[in-house]
């Protein structure tokens, strides 16, 4: 049986409690998460503007999520035409 593919938008990547829950479920293998660079940019911006994290902490967010879900990020980049540099 193939795994369900799910595109996570800013509404679920931004709230830390929801993002953590969904990514833990994805780590368990229940589904495959996908997102775009724009969504990560928006989530990072909201983390700072809402006062949830500092600029420095927000800068650490993107590399951590990309490393943890490297295969999904690459597939997302290829699908959207973006390059991860």
């Amino acid at each position: 049986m193939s795994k369900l593919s799910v595109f996570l938008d800013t509404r679920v990547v931004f709230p830390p409690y929801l993002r953590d829950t969904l990514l833990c479920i994805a780590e368990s293998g229940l589904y495959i998460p996908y997102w775009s660079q724009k969504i990560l940019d928006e989530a990072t911006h909201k983390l700072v503007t809402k006062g949830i994290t500092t600029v420095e902490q927000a800068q650490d967010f993107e590399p951590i999520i990309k490393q943890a879900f490297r295969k999904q990020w690459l597939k997302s980049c290829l699908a959207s035409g973006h390059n991860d540099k």
Side-chain angles (χ1 to χ4, degrees), residues 34-35 66 69-80 82-84:
Y34 292 93
W35 51 80
K66 283 182 177 179
F69 293 94
R70 188 73 183 155
K71 291 178 184 177
Q72 288 77 13
W73 170 248
L74 290 174
K75 290 178 185 178
S76 176
C77 285
L78 293 172
S80 65
H82 293 288
N83 294 318
D84 183 24

Side-chain angles (χ1 to χ4, degrees), residues 43-57:
T44 302
H45 176 75
K46 284 187 175 188
L47 287 169
V48 174
T49 59
K50 297 284 185 179
I52 295 172
T53 64
T54 65
V55 172
E56 294 79 16
Q57 290 169 325

Side-chain angles (χ1 to χ4, degrees), residues 9-71:
D9 71 6
T10 306
R11 290 181 204 127
V12 298
V13 174
F14 164 63
Y17 68 90
L18 185 54
R19 177 190 62 240
D20 293 347
T21 301
L22 291 173
L23 293 181
C24 283
I25 293 168
E27 269 187 326
S28 75
L30 189 60
Y31 74 97
I32 302 170
Y34 292 93
W35 51 80
S36 68
Q37 182 61 49
K38 181 179 178 185
I39 288 170
L40 290 179
D41 292 344
E42 290 173 356
T44 302
H45 176 75
K46 284 187 175 188
L47 287 169
V48 174
T49 59
K50 297 284 185 179
I52 295 172
T53 64
T54 65
V55 172
E56 294 79 16
Q57 290 169 325
Q59 289 172 339
D60 291 339
F61 165 73
E62 186 175 316
I64 290 169
I65 197 169
K66 283 182 177 179
Q67 184 62 37
F69 293 94
R70 188 73 183 155
K71 291 178 184 177

